[in-house]
Amino acid sequence: MAIIVAIAIITILNYNALPNVIPMKYDLQGNVTSSVPKTYLSVLAINLVQLGIIALMMLVNWSIKTSKQQLTPSNPAQFAADHIRFRRKWSLFTIITGLLLTILFAFIQINMFVPNQVLLTAISLITSVAILLGAILLSLTGRQGGGKIRNHQEDRERSKEQPVNDDDYWKLGFIYFNPKDPSFTVEKRYGIGWTINFARPLSWVLVLFIIAIVVLSRVLSQ
């Protein structure tokens, strides 16, 4: 929030120095492909995007914290401890991702009145690579729920650590729909991450909200 406020103040103080047409998109060669007339809304639109990023990351972090946790009968205490560490790592990753994206968009906004396409491209590339590598590292160092990745020799031990069987509630194998489960978010059945319980009305509100944001962003970018 401090970064957003600081960049917004800098932008307002330099508003008169900005050109009457604000570039919004560039191609790979650095040529402007889309622009908008200068208004306070157009020059501060990036700050609204930053606020949206923070809200999204807060939602993701809340989902990580509140998602249903399934324990195994073999060693529930150890499984719970591993699960907590798993969630904390991804929560920290969420915080760092939100910070990096906020800084990236701050540079995009500064680029309006101090153009430096080379620097902006470099920062964009570094930010994207850092976030991607962080996600890959977390995914490769542990499986879903915080357990260790097993080799083929240990496959026979998996049956001892399987949580409750809820196959009937996974539609098409990846859509969780369980009206009896009050949880809003649950761990994905495959891979790493979380998904929502589509049996909860709030989940559909969230889906429609995300679709609305995408459509609105598309319309405003025209």
Side-chain angles (χ1 to χ4, degrees):
M1 291 301 297
I3 294 174
I4 295 174
V5 171
I7 295 300
I9 292 175
I10 292 174
T11 302
I12 293 174
L13 292 177
N14 290 273
Y15 180 81
N16 292 331
L18 292 172
N20 292 327
V21 178
I22 306 297
M24 299 299 291
K25 292 182 180 180
Y26 299 85
D27 59 20
L28 296 178
Q29 287 72 40
N31 301 315
V32 178
T33 59
S34 177
S35 59
V36 296
K38 181 179 72 171
T39 64
Y40 279 102
L41 178 60
S42 62
V43 299
L44 296 177
I46 292 180
N47 299 122
L48 299 179
V49 174
Q50 291 172 313
L51 290 174
I53 291 174
I54 291 179
L56 176 61
M57 293 304 166
M58 290 177 65
L59 176 62
V60 171
N61 197 64
W62 173 82
S63 299
I64 293 174
K65 177 182 178 180
T66 60
S67 64
K68 181 175 65 175
Q69 180 178 2
Q70 293 181 339
L71 302 180
T72 58
S74 59
N75 192 347
Q78 181 61 42
F79 190 86
D82 292 341
H83 202 281
I84 290 174
R85 284 192 292 269
F86 171 78
R87 295 192 187 203
R88 285 177 176 171
K89 288 179 181 179
W90 279 99
S91 178
L92 178 61
F93 173 75
T94 301
I95 294 173
I96 295 175
T97 298
L99 178 60
L100 290 177
L101 290 176
T102 301
I103 293 174
L104 171 61
F105 278 95
F107 274 99
I108 294 175
Q109 194 163 358
I110 292 177
N111 193 69
M112 290 182 180
F113 45 87
V114 186
N116 192 328
Q117 193 62 28
V118 175
L119 178 61
L120 181 59
T121 301
I123 293 176
S124 300
L125 181 61
I126 292 173
T127 301
S128 302
V129 171
I131 294 174
L132 179 61
L133 290 179
I136 293 175
L137 178 63
L138 284 178
S139 300
L140 293 179
T141 55
R143 59 185 173 91
Q144 185 72 298
K148 296 180 180 179
I149 296 178
R150 296 181 173 276
N151 56 36
H152 294 295
Q153 286 74 22
E154 295 171 316
D155 283 345
R156 60 182 178 276
E157 299 294 330
R158 288 175 180 261
S159 60
K160 298 180 181 179
E161 295 190 1
Q162 291 300 320
V164 295
N165 188 344
D166 55 1
D167 290 348
D168 292 341
Y169 301 117
W170 286 97
K171 312 303 180 183
L172 303 178
F174 63 94
I175 299 176
Y176 186 70
F177 191 93
N178 185 358
K180 299 179 182 179
D181 188 350
S183 301
F184 177 69
T185 56
V186 297
E187 288 186 357
K188 289 182 178 179
R189 194 180 190 192
Y190 304 108
I192 298 290
W194 290 262
T195 186
I196 56 180
N197 181 4
F198 283 90
R200 315 309 305 172
L202 182 59
S203 65
W204 292 101
V205 174
L206 177 61
V207 170
L208 293 176
F209 178 71
I210 294 175
I211 294 175
I213 291 179
V214 173
V215 173
L216 181 61
S217 300
R218 181 63 179 173
V219 171
L220 294 177
S221 66
Q222 296 299 321

